[in-house]
Each structure stands twice: as C-alpha cells, then as structure tokens.
C-alpha cells in the first residue's frame, strides 16, 4: 500500500496534498498534465500535476535529487488512466518513504538491514538433497566471495535455521558502509534486502555485481528448485516471482536514478 490516502489539489497553496485519493485504486484521475521542474536553486526537482507540486503523505514537497528520478516518478503519475492505482507506482512510494520516514528512522533501518545477515539467504544452506546443495554452492559461493572481497568482511556459512555468528570485524565494516549511505540509497537498499531476504544479494545488486535477473535467480534459488521438482503452484510461485521482480527492479532503479 502506497498511501492510506493520496492526493488532491489545493488551489490556495499550489500543491497537491496527500489526503484524498484512496489506496485501493478507487479514485479517479483528477489531473491532465504532468510536468517536471527544477527548483530555483537548481539542486532538486519536483513533479507537478496541472502546475501544482506533489506533496508526500507527510505533506512535505516531493523534492527529488535527480532529474532522472523525477522523470521516472512523473511517468508513474502520467501512466495512470481513469483511476489512480498506487500499487503501480513503486518509485513514488520509495520517494515518499525517503522523505517522510528515513531521516527519522535511520538507526532503526540500519539495524533492520544488518539483522538480515543473521539469516541471510546465501549464508544458510540446505542439508540436502545433493542437487540443491550443488546449486546453492554454485550460485551463492561466488556472491559470498565477492562480498568478502569488496567489503573486507568474511561471512560464515551454516546448515540450519541460523548462521553462526559472523566475525565482529565483518559486522563492523558492513555497518560502517551502511551508515555512510545517503537517505535515498538507504531506503532502496532496505527495500532490496527485505525483498531478497539477503544483505549479500542486495549489496551485490546495488554495486552492479549482479543484474536484476541474476539477483532474482539467486534470491529464489530454493523456491525454483522446488518448483522444478514438484511443479509450479499457480497463484503461488508465479505470483511470488512477479512480486520479487517488481520489488527488486523498482528499488534498484530507484537507487541508480537517485544517484545520477
């Protein structure tokens, strides 16, 4: 859900306030034209609907750090047809989160992201069957090797529900990296980590050591193995696969565009 409420024009302020459009897609499109404008000081960009600046749900101006991200978010608004469907606007959702929540929740978000290392998808291995163990090693071992080399942060691998405690020095180095992320990148990284259930996959995608498709394949290795063995569950595997694709692709594009 992007919003509990959404947007409607406020003629007196020249803005579009996040307080009228329903999250279930039941609100009619109330604007005709979408424009992108650069701020007076030239450091950020805004999306305008019929000349009015879009506000976040927290009623802050939706000011974006790059023209590329502004154009992409503007395209989300412009692509709406007769009714506005918030679930088709993932970049807008991430931008709203970055402005309204991330600055006040940085410590919490960083702790949440790092906590995923305890049960990281690529660090927790299946005891069998042998065919799955081989696939996990072939796909995930290179990711751990990359992570270890890139961040000077070795990780432990285990079989079971929880990994062994990672070296404190590794956790410290990773925390230092995440601490140094700007709010826009941190928001995107958190979304990637939660989608993939993996800090390793998220950071590899962020650093372009993985393509979006390769990240999806790595995150869904166990599920795809099960589907190959037992068949695809319609409305299950296919929906989960599509959901992961949207979430990882949106977060990856969001971070790349924010840092253009």
């Amino acid at each position: 859900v992007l919003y509990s409420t959404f947007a409607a024009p406020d003629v007196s302020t020249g803005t579009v306030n996040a307080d009228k459009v329903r999250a279930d897609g039941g609100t009619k499109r109330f604007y005709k034209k979408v424009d992108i404008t650069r701020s007076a000081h030239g450091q950020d960009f805004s999306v305008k609907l019929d000349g009015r600046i879009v506000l976040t749900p927290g009623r802050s101006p939706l000011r974006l750090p790059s023209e590329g991200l502004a154009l992409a978010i503007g395209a989300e608004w412009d692509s709406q047809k007769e009714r506005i469907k918030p679930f088709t606007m993932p970049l807008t959702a991430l931008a709203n989160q970055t402005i309204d929540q991330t600055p006040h929740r940085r410590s919490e978000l960083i702790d949440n992201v790092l906590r995923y290392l305890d049960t990281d998808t690529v660090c927790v291995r299946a005891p069998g069957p042998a065919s799955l163990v081989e696939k996990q090693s072939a796909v995930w071992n290179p990711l751990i090797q990359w992570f270890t080399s890139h961040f000077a942060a070795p990780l432990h691998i285990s079989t079971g529900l929880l990994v062994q405690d990672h070296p404190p020095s590794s956790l410290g180095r990773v925390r230092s990296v995440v601490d140094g992320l700007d709010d826009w990148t941190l928001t995107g990284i958190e979304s990637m980590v939660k989608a993939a259930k993996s800090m390793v996959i998220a950071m590899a995608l962020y650093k372009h050591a993985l393509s979006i498709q390769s990240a999806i394949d790595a995150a869904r290795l166990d599920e795809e193995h099960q589907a190959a063995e037992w068949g695809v569950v319609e409305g299950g595997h296919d929906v989960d696969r599509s959901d992961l694709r949207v979430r990882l692709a949106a977060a990856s594009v969001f971070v790349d565009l924010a840092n253009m």
Side-chain angles (χ1 to χ4, degrees):
V1 176
L2 285 182
Y3 308 101
S4 57
T5 53
F6 213 90
D10 184 335
V11 177
S12 64
T13 62
T15 60
V16 178
N17 297 323
D19 63 359
K20 294 297 181 184
V21 176
R22 293 160 46 184
D24 63 3
T27 300
K28 292 183 178 180
R29 175 168 170 160
F30 54 84
Y31 55 91
K32 294 181 179 180
K33 187 178 181 182
V34 179
D35 291 308
I36 306 301
T37 60
R38 185 189 294 267
S39 65
H41 54 73
Q43 295 182 353
D44 51 45
F45 298 81
S46 298
V47 176
K48 288 187 175 182
L49 308 181
D50 293 337
R52 299 182 178 92
I53 296 175
V54 175
L55 302 183
T56 69
R59 294 179 175 270
S60 294
L62 185 65
R63 299 200 183 280
L64 305 161
S66 74
E67 185 176 20
L69 183 57
L71 288 169
I73 289 177
E76 287 186 335
W77 286 86
D78 201 33
S79 68
Q80 303 305 304
K81 305 302 182 184
E82 292 185 1
R83 296 187 181 275
I84 300 171
K85 299 179 179 179
F87 59 86
T88 66
M89 304 169 73
L91 299 179
T92 302
L94 289 167
N96 287 334
Q97 179 184 338
T98 302
I99 294 169
D100 285 349
Q101 300 179 31
T102 301
H104 314 294
R105 297 179 56 228
R106 276 192 65 91
S107 295
E108 178 187 349
L109 294 181
I110 291 169
D111 288 343
N112 288 344
V113 164
L114 293 175
R115 198 172 293 121
Y116 272 84
L117 276 175
D118 294 339
T119 55
D120 197 288
T121 294
V122 307
C123 294
V124 182
R125 305 297 175 87
S131 58
L132 176 58
V133 172
E134 290 175 4
K135 288 180 182 177
Q136 290 178 338
S137 295
V139 175
W140 292 346
N141 284 0
L143 287 175
I144 290 181
Q145 292 167 5
W146 172 85
F147 191 92
T148 297
S149 174
H150 193 86
F151 298 110
L155 299 176
H156 291 157
I157 299 173
S158 72
T159 301
L161 296 178
L162 295 175
V163 300
Q164 304 170 21
D165 291 338
H166 295 302
S169 59
S170 295
L171 297 177
R173 292 190 184 98
V174 176
R175 177 175 289 277
S176 179
V177 170
V178 179
D179 277 339
L181 299 175
D182 62 78
D183 288 346
W184 299 89
T185 303
L186 177 58
T187 300
I189 291 293
E190 188 214 17
S191 184
M192 292 183 216
V193 171
K194 290 170 69 175
K197 298 181 177 61
S198 170
M199 180 74 169
V200 175
I201 293 173
M203 294 305 286
L205 181 56
Y206 163 50
K207 293 293 185 178
H208 300 124
L210 279 179
S211 66
I212 292 172
Q213 184 58 55
S214 295
I216 294 168
D217 293 342
R220 286 192 53 80
L221 190 150
D222 287 355
E223 290 79 6
E224 295 301 332
H225 176 83
Q226 293 173 5
E229 289 288 320
W230 305 104
V232 174
V233 177
E234 296 296 334
H237 291 116
D238 53 339
V239 172
D240 292 344
R241 188 184 301 125
S242 297
D243 178 67
L244 179 62
R245 180 180 301 278
V246 170
R247 294 171 67 190
L248 281 183
S252 178
V253 169
F254 179 80
V255 170
D256 286 347
L257 291 178
N259 287 281
M260 286 181 64

